[in-house]
């Protein structure tokens, strides 16, 4: 069976037709990175299609916001149940469209289920505050209310999980949704949104509460600019995020940004090197290095530097690379040729600085797809491409002498997403996670930089955008705060003891 035929079978199994994409524009060809063949052809959304989707979501907000939050949670519960019931075909779809290995595809679907479970509990915990008032017979409250239409712009590398982080929370908070996925992975969006619309309709609500549109940058720009959209949650490059932030600021609307990451792990003299090798390998080569949390820099104490490089090189030499649908594969393809070109340019820049590059070559015999052996790069110092994010499997390794120097190197990049330290020294672990340590939104001890759980708020600082999604109190990003003062007495005392008597 061809991959295109398998896609058609999966979509039929999920009850979704490729033509149900709310599009009437030019054809959008979807290719698999496995062998570059065409999976499907979808109609892209025109400006009129996008306007209709937003207007439908805006119209339904007026009723959805008044639905009790636990009732909204019931919709998200049903959505999670449908996703769980179709975990295998959804995981397969992710692998076909993104090139992720089978276990990573299934893991992403499980993440959708997990965040739905989190959001269902949250639907009964949208707490405000009661604050002591300085005035007698007064109550001071802080309450939370939905925003309106939330736009979600997602990237190709997590075509389902990132949307679910946003959608599950935004829905229980009382918002409606318009989703523009990456033009590289519209089939995953079509399938997942189809299940969400099924959940809505089974629970007695209109599927237009959650709309999906397809297109390129132009569609994203129109979505960001639309006055009915009150929050734009965007995942992608820092350059894209900067444009989104500026456009939102010009219209005084909110943005929630999850952008790039140039993540580092510090390896201390006391580190368990076996743990480091396993943790670093997964974080550096998982998803073929195409994660925002990918480990890109390994900052190693000079005393263990040579041994660790030797161990990692041995692992890299025997990595099973190939078709991600095969159970033995650990590294699948890059998404496209542009990713390969970016990788080779970074490796050339590293060589020009005196680096020793191990591997990084394209695998022969698998064209026109883009399979590479992940690169391990010994850098004489932290400079050049090591200070930049390249969305490909490159792990730069450099040495340090003092722990303070290592922390400074960790923080010496524009991004601030994820970081890690491997140590058995309690002082080093505590210092790394303190205000004097890592400046990233995620700071781990004795695990790698990738693989965050949904219970904690996910996101980073600096050019990573500052947004937080998924767990903890990330729900507040999807709501507006109101301060309420209630006078249940018969007098009107003013704050700060001010007297203003107009009765004569």
């Amino acid at each position: 069976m061809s991959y295109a035929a398998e896609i058609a079978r999966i979509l039929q199994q999920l009850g979704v037709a490729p033509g149900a994409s709310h599009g009437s524009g030019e054809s959008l060809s979807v290719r698999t990175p496995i062998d570059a063949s065409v999976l499907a052809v979808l109609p892209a959304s025109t400006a009129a299609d996008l306007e209709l989707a937003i207007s439908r979501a805006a119209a339904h907000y007026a009723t959805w916001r008044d639905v009790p939050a636990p009732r909204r949670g019931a919709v998200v519960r049903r959505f999670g149940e449908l996703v769980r019931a179709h975990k295998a075909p959804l995981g397969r779809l992710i692998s076909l469209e993104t090139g992720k290995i089978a276990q990573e595809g299934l893991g992403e679907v499980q993440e959708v289920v997990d965040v739905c479970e989190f959001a269902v509990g949250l639907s009964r915990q949208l707490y405000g505050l009661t604050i002591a008032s300085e005035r007698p017979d007064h109550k001071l409250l802080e309450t939370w209310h939905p925003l309106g239409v939330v736009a979600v712009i997602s990237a190709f590398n997590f075509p389902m999980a990132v949307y679910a982080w946003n959608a599950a929370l935004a829905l229980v908070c009382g918002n409606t949704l318009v989703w523009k996925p990456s033009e590289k992975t519209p089939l995953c969006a079509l399938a997942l949104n189809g299940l969400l619309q099924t959940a809505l309709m089974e629970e007695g609500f209109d599927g237009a509460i959650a709309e999906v549109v397809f297109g390129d940058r132009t569609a994203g720009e129109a979505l960001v600019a639309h006055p009915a959209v009150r929050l734009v949650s965007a995942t992608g490059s820092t350059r894209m995020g900067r444009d989104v932030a500026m456009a939102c600021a010009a219209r005084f609307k909110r943005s929630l940004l999850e952008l790039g990451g140039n993540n580092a792990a510090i390896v201390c003299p006391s580190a368990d090197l076996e743990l480091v090798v396993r943790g670093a390998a997964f974080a550096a080569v998982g998803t073929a290095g195409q994660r925002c949390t990918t480990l890109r820099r390994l900052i190693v104490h000079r005393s263990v530097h040579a041994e660790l490089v030797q161990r990692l090189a041995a692992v890299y030499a025997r990595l099973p690379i190939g078709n991600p649908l095969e159970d033995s594969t650990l590294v699948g393809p890059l998404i496209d040729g542009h990713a390969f070109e970016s990788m080779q340019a970074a490796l050339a820049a590293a060589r020009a600085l005196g680096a020793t590059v191990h591997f990084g070559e394209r695998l022969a015999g698998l064209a026109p797809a883009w399979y590479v052996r992940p690169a391990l790069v010994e850098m004489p110092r932290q400079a050049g491409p090591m200070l930049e994010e390249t969305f490909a499997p490159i792990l730069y390794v450099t040495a340090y002498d003092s722990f303070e120097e290592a922390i400074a190197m960790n923080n010496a990049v524009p991004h601030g997403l994820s970081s890690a330290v491997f140590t058995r020294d309690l002082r080093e672990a505590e210092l790394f996670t303190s205000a004097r340590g890592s400046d990233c939104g995620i700071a781990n001890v004795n695990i790698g930089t990738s693989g965050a759980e949904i219970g904690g708020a996910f996101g980073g600082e600096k050019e990573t955008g500052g947004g937080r999604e998924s767990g903890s109190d990330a729900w507040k990003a999807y709501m507006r705060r109101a301060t309420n003062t209630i006078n249940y007495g018969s007098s009107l005392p003013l704050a700060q003891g001010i007297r203003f008597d107009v009765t004569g």
Side-chain angles (χ1 to χ4, degrees), residues 61-370:
Y61 168 66
T63 53
W64 181 246
R65 68 184 175 190
D66 292 334
V67 174
R71 184 77 183 91
R72 300 193 296 253
V75 171
V76 175
R77 177 189 295 111
R78 182 58 185 146
F79 175 46
E81 290 170 350
L82 289 170
V83 172
R84 186 191 297 274
H86 296 91
K87 182 175 179 177
L90 288 172
R92 185 80 171 184
L93 178 55
I94 290 173
S95 294
L96 285 165
E97 198 168 28
T98 70
K100 282 187 176 182
I101 64 172
Q103 278 300 310
E104 286 189 288
L106 292 171
E108 181 170 348
V109 179
Q110 184 60 47
E111 197 162 347
V112 176
V113 174
D114 292 345
V115 78
C116 286
E117 291 180 351
F118 176 87
V120 172
L122 181 66
S123 68
R124 295 181 181 271
Q125 301 179 77
L126 298 174
Y127 298 139
L129 294 173
T130 301
I131 305 166
S133 174
E134 67 184 57
R135 290 171 282 187
D137 297 334
H138 280 60
K139 181 186 290 184
L140 194 58
L141 302 174
E142 182 180 88
T143 55
W144 294 85
H145 308 284
L147 290 171
V149 178
V150 170
V152 181
I153 300 174
S154 60
F156 78 87
N157 57 334
F158 281 89
M160 293 191 189
V162 170
Y163 174 67
W165 289 356
N166 286 276
L169 270 62
L171 285 172
V172 299
C173 288
N175 304 286
T176 54
L177 298 161
V178 180
W179 178 17
K180 193 205 87 65
S182 167
E183 58 269 35
K184 298 176 183 178
T185 53
L187 299 173
C188 286
L190 191 63
L192 194 64
N193 189 72
L195 293 181
L196 177 52
Q197 291 187 328
T198 297
L200 283 161
M201 290 184 284
E202 285 183 358
E203 293 293 325
F205 300 100
D206 197 296
I209 287 170
E211 293 279 335
V212 63
V213 295
F214 297 111
D216 56 14
R217 178 188 177 97
T218 303
E221 290 173 345
L223 195 56
V224 171
H226 199 285
V229 172
R230 299 312 308 151
L231 168 68
V232 178
S233 179
T235 303
S237 69
T238 294
R239 182 179 63 180
M240 179 274 288
R242 185 174 287 112
D243 291 342
V244 169
M246 293 174 64
C248 288
R251 296 166 177 83
F252 297 100
K253 66 175 65 177
R254 297 189 193 181
S255 61
L256 195 167
L257 304 175
E258 298 288 357
L259 310 177
N262 189 353
N263 313 295
I266 298 171
V267 181
C268 300
S270 66
D272 179 340
L273 293 190
E274 182 61 31
L275 196 67
V276 173
V277 170
R278 287 188 283 122
F282 171 71
V285 309
T287 323
Q290 299 169 120
R291 292 182 175 184
C292 54
T293 54
T294 291
L295 177 62
R296 308 198 182 281
R297 297 177 294 137
L298 202 56
I299 302 167
V300 185
H301 191 269
R302 201 171 300 276
S303 64
V304 295
H305 179 272
E307 180 182 355
L308 183 57
V309 170
Q310 184 179 20
R311 289 194 184 196
L312 284 169
V315 170
Y316 271 51
R318 60 176 186 267
L319 282 171
I321 304 166
N323 189 317
L325 302 177
E326 297 177 1
D327 291 340
S328 60
T329 299
L330 292 182
V331 181
L334 295 175
I335 189 68
D336 55 26
H338 176 70
F340 175 77
E341 292 168 3
S342 298
M343 179 180 181
Q344 298 309 305
L347 294 178
R351 290 188 183 95
L353 292 173
T356 300
V357 178
H358 304 273
F359 316 114
E361 72 280 5
R362 186 180 182 187
L363 272 63
L366 295 174
W370 299 91

